[in-house]
Amino acid sequence: MNKPKKFIPVMLMPFQENLSIDYEALEKLIELYLKAGAKGLFANCLSSEMFDLSKDEMLESIDFIIKKVHGRVPVVATGTFDEPLERQAEFIRKVYDLGVDSVIVITGLMATEDQSNEEFEQNVLQLLNLTKEIPLGFYECPVPYKRLIAPEFLGKLSELGRVKYHKDTSLDLDHINRKLANTVDNAQFGLFDAYMVHAVDSLLAGSAGLSCIQGNYFPELIVWLCNHYDDVHKQEAVNEVQDFLRTQMEVMHYAYPTAAKYYLQQGGFPIALHTRRMDIEELDEQTKTKLDQLSLNYQDLKMRLQI
């Protein structure tokens, strides 16, 4: 519980006008995260529009990130997609060979929505067997559907010594507490919370850190919270940051990830608004006005708290 908490950003993917990956912007984005104080990077995730990338693009972009990071922080990246387990295991090997710290498994692709937890767990264990010694992590991605890992099963996985990272999206602090209770004896394992409504409580309960989309708007604020969540001299400021994250939740999720790209762009960061996702809301003028107000609210908070 007393270990330093880490911010692991879910990386955006910049695109050029022709929707090819903008590697110049991606390199600058890496440096933005690291300058803010991120202690790792989650590449090829939902924020990276991974379901709209080809496998070659996934491997190429992960390789680019690994080389540009050059060992400064660990990098994790998704390596499972909607394929038979044997094919998933093959791609996991390709991702791992690039030099990632752990390969992330999407829980919603380990069983169909109508399959039981027993079938899900059986498939996970089979994938572990197929991938031998490769360190893995688990991500309760909301796409194609959200499949939560039972706390007891996560505990069994952590005991194997190969599962290092878990991105929790349960939105349920009690569920998180039970996961933490079942993994407390594994010093190599870390649960990272995605839900900022209870960020402080999650950190106090023993989570390893935060891995949230809010870090694509103001990564330095999430780092600040990881550093000061339990500082008795800053509790008023901590509470104010928690309230800010809670009350601004809706505007940051609407039209995401385009909204985050707009927010960064308005702040002077060289990223275009292009996206391959066709299933998100339109970034209309009303949404832009709300994001502009979010920026003003954050600048006020940042100035008052000297962040």
Side-chain angles (χ1 to χ4, degrees):
M1 288 180 64
N2 296 322
K3 288 182 179 180
K5 308 298 182 178
K6 301 175 182 178
F7 166 51
I8 311 291
V10 284
M11 297 184 69
L12 293 171
M13 183 61 76
F15 294 104
Q16 301 183 65
E17 188 174 0
N18 65 1
L19 295 185
S20 62
I21 295 174
D22 185 343
Y23 281 102
E24 184 176 345
L26 182 56
E27 182 173 3
K28 290 181 171 64
L29 194 60
I30 292 166
E31 298 306 320
L32 175 75
Y33 294 133
L34 297 186
K35 184 178 179 181
K39 299 301 182 185
L41 297 175
F42 187 169
N44 200 41
C45 55
L46 191 59
S47 291
S48 313
E49 307 187 35
M50 62 181 177
F51 291 114
D52 295 291
L53 301 177
S54 70
K55 282 191 170 181
D56 285 343
E57 287 175 317
M58 293 178 199
L59 293 172
E60 184 180 77
S61 59
I62 295 168
D63 185 53
F64 178 87
I65 292 164
I66 292 287
K67 288 176 178 174
K68 293 301 178 182
V69 169
H70 197 58
R72 286 176 286 174
V73 297
V75 177
V76 301
T78 303
T80 61
F81 294 91
D82 192 11
E83 300 176 313
L85 289 177
E86 292 77 10
R87 293 287 301 278
Q88 292 194 33
E90 290 174 12
F91 194 64
I92 284 174
R93 172 69 63 182
K94 290 180 180 180
V95 172
Y96 184 63
D97 286 346
L98 295 174
V100 299
D101 185 69
S102 299
V103 184
I104 304 303
V105 176
I106 303 297
T107 55
L109 295 175
M110 287 292 96
T112 59
E113 196 166 5
D114 60 344
Q115 287 182 299
S116 67
N117 271 336
E118 289 74 17
E119 291 171 291
F120 164 76
E121 292 174 5
Q122 211 169 44
N123 288 340
V124 168
L125 293 174
Q126 185 179 347
L127 184 67
L128 283 165
N129 186 54
L130 288 169
T131 51
K132 305 300 180 186
E133 77 292 346
I134 296 176
L136 301 177
F138 288 86
Y139 171 23
E140 295 167 337
C141 184
V143 179
Y145 74 98
K146 188 187 292 188
R147 164 82 67 162
L148 301 183
I149 297 182
E152 298 76 16
F153 183 59
L154 185 61
K156 291 178 182 178
L157 292 177
S158 73
E159 289 172 5
L160 300 175
R162 285 178 52 197
V163 179
K164 293 186 174 184
Y165 173 99
H166 174 60
K167 180 174 175 180
D168 186 276
T169 66
S170 67
L171 318 184
D172 184 340
L173 192 59
D174 178 64
H175 188 80
I176 288 172
N177 282 328
R178 289 190 288 121
K179 283 178 174 173
L180 293 171
N182 278 274
T183 56
V184 69
D185 294 328
N186 186 348
Q188 301 301 314
F189 173 82
L191 182 150
F192 290 82
D193 200 353
Y195 192 43
M196 293 301 94
V197 167
H198 58 219
V200 173
D201 287 337
S202 176
L203 293 170
L204 288 170
S207 64
L210 304 173
S211 190
C212 53
I213 72 164
Q214 286 76 9
N216 284 323
Y217 291 89
F218 17 70
E220 69 283 352
L221 181 66
I222 309 304
V223 170
W224 184 92
L225 193 61
C226 286
N227 290 339
H228 297 291
Y229 72 98
D230 64 346
D231 187 337
V232 295
H233 303 294
K234 293 184 180 290
Q235 281 309 292
E236 187 174 338
V238 166
N239 291 338
E240 191 168 354
V241 169
Q242 176 68 91
D243 287 342
F244 174 80
L245 293 171
R246 183 185 298 114
T247 58
Q248 303 296 324
M249 178 75 67
E250 184 177 346
V251 65
M252 286 185 277
H253 277 266
Y254 191 85
Y256 180 85
T258 313
K261 293 177 181 181
Y262 173 82
Y263 184 94
L264 291 176
Q265 186 187 80
Q266 293 303 107
F269 186 81
I271 188 170
L273 304 183
H274 309 304
T275 179
R276 292 186 184 180
R277 290 192 61 176
M278 304 298 291
D279 59 339
I280 60 173
E281 301 89 350
E282 179 187 358
L283 187 70
D284 55 22
E285 291 305 313
Q286 183 179 11
T287 302
K288 289 179 180 179
T289 299
K290 290 180 179 179
L291 289 166
D292 293 341
Q293 186 60 53
L294 172 67
S295 179
L296 293 173
N297 293 344
Y298 175 58
Q299 293 306 317
D300 179 61
L301 176 75
K302 189 175 180 180
M303 184 178 300
R304 284 187 290 104
L305 301 186
Q306 298 184 334
I307 295 174

